[in-house]
Amino acid sequence: MSSIETRVCLDDLLGPYEAKVDPAPEKRWNGWLAPHFTLDTVREMTGGTADLAARHGHDAACTVHVIDGYADSPSSVHVIDGGTDRDGNPRRAVVHVRWNLVDDDPHTAVSFFPARPGTDVATVAPAGGGEPRSVVFSMDWQHWSGDDGPDAAADVYTPDEDGRYAVGAWSWCWDYAVWWCTCGTANRWHETTCLACRLPRPAQPIRELADLPATIRRLLCAQAPEATSVLVDLHSPPHVYAVYAGDTELDSADDTGPFDTETLGAVDTAIREALDHAVIGDLANAGWQAVEPSCYRITFRDPSAS
């Protein structure tokens, strides 16, 4: 079976990330996927794994790292923070990269050593100006013991023929990311048509955005029952800049209009949280009406309704 483009994740902890995977059973690890990622996606992953380590401790998370240099760079030296061990002792790994060996064998080109507590390590940044090169590795800090050191915690990844890196393949529990159809069915990301109702993924309303009109109506109509729509400016940060009852604009000033600052602030927060989840489709699919660039009308009540 050939490889497919999809999205993968580690439960709800990490991802989803764009990846290429071979779904064949013999290409899996204990049933889990073995994804291959572009370098740009790996760079995105470095931030996600760093956040996990900051929240849960390094012993509960693997961190991913990318070091950039050049084909003609002399050796460089880098220090990777590993938090503290189970006894509370600071832990740092010293990474030595021999750039002239990266093309032939990244595993030989990258070496790992422990940084002795209380000592300053002289870092050496990659110099040169030739062809850009990158080394990619992960650190599974729980495998660092006093005897083994950082070398036992490190995995260096060699790019495949497409220049992708199999980060965590054959060791992490990668699975397909899913998208939820409006009918309530969860579909794997690469399945672009719902398996239950056959509605295409691009035609899906974005659930958080589709649910937003009801939230806005509840907040605004508590103080102005005649309100029927709002205009939203998507410029940072997204916010409501006009409220309407039919075609009549309502006064939204805090000191003269029916709305207080807390209510309008709650509406703005609801809009921003909904936009944070807008990863598929577009605003029009969710019923937002484009008025002008970066401006949309959200209607939450028919003015002619009784």
Side-chain angles (χ1 to χ4, degrees), residues 14-37:
L14 196 62
Y17 297 120
E18 304 282 349
K20 180 182 286 187
V21 303
D22 189 331
E26 63 271 17
K27 298 295 185 178
R28 297 176 178 233
W29 173 73
N30 292 335
W32 303 106
L33 300 174
H36 290 234
F37 305 96

Side-chain angles (χ1 to χ4, degrees), residues 37-45:
F37 305 96
T38 64
L39 183 58
D40 286 342
T41 300
V42 175
R43 294 188 195 281
E44 183 182 355
M45 203 180 301

Side-chain angles (χ1 to χ4, degrees), residues 35-102:
H36 290 234
F37 305 96
T38 64
L39 183 58
D40 286 342
T41 300
V42 175
R43 294 188 195 281
E44 183 182 355
M45 203 180 301
T46 63
T49 57
D51 289 343
L52 282 178
R55 292 200 307 267
H56 304 292
H58 282 71
D59 277 334
C62 296
T63 55
V64 176
H65 306 268
V66 177
I67 297 178
D68 297 312
Y70 305 94
D72 61 351
S73 292
S75 296
S76 61
V77 179
H78 312 266
V79 178
I80 306 297
D81 179 32
T84 58
D85 61 21
R86 291 180 178 83
D87 298 322
N89 300 312
R91 184 173 48 189
R92 296 180 301 158
V94 178
V95 184
H96 181 208
V97 182
R98 303 171 184 84
W99 292 99
N100 63 319
L101 301 179
V102 167

Side-chain angles (χ1 to χ4, degrees), residues 139-306:
M139 299 293 295
D140 193 348
W141 298 99
Q142 64 178 330
H143 291 157
W144 178 330
S145 68
D147 296 330
D148 297 329
D151 192 58
D155 277 314
V156 178
Y157 300 98
T158 302
D160 63 17
E161 61 275 12
D162 296 324
R164 292 174 178 251
Y165 297 83
V167 176
W170 310 101
S171 58
W172 297 6
C173 298
W174 289 112
D175 203 355
Y176 292 111
V178 301
W179 61 274
W180 287 89
C181 179
T182 189
C183 74
T185 302
N187 301 274
R188 293 172 174 175
W189 184 258
H190 55 278
E191 296 164 344
T192 57
T193 299
C194 177
L195 298 178
C197 71
R198 312 309 297 171
L199 185 66
R201 188 181 71 196
Q204 292 289 323
I206 302 167
R207 177 162 300 182
E208 289 81 1
L209 297 178
D211 290 344
L212 187 60
T215 300
I216 296 176
R217 178 183 181 183
R218 174 177 56 81
L219 292 168
L220 295 184
C221 288
Q223 296 177 339
E226 68 275 22
T228 59
S229 66
V230 295
L231 290 183
V232 177
D233 186 348
L234 297 187
H235 286 105
S236 182
H239 62 281
V240 167
Y241 73 89
V243 181
Y244 288 85
D247 296 327
T248 302
E249 182 175 356
L250 300 179
D251 186 354
S252 57
D254 182 41
D255 53 346
T256 60
F259 308 110
D260 55 37
T261 301
E262 291 76 12
T263 297
L264 294 176
V267 172
D268 289 346
T269 297
I271 291 170
R272 293 165 196 167
E273 290 178 349
L275 289 171
D276 284 343
H277 293 89
V279 295
I280 60 173
D282 57 27
L283 302 182
N285 288 338
W288 292 34
Q289 177 188 0
V291 177
E292 58 187 49
S294 297
C295 176
Y296 285 80
R297 181 184 296 274
I298 301 176
T299 301
F300 47 88
R301 182 168 173 265
D302 183 351
S304 63
S306 58

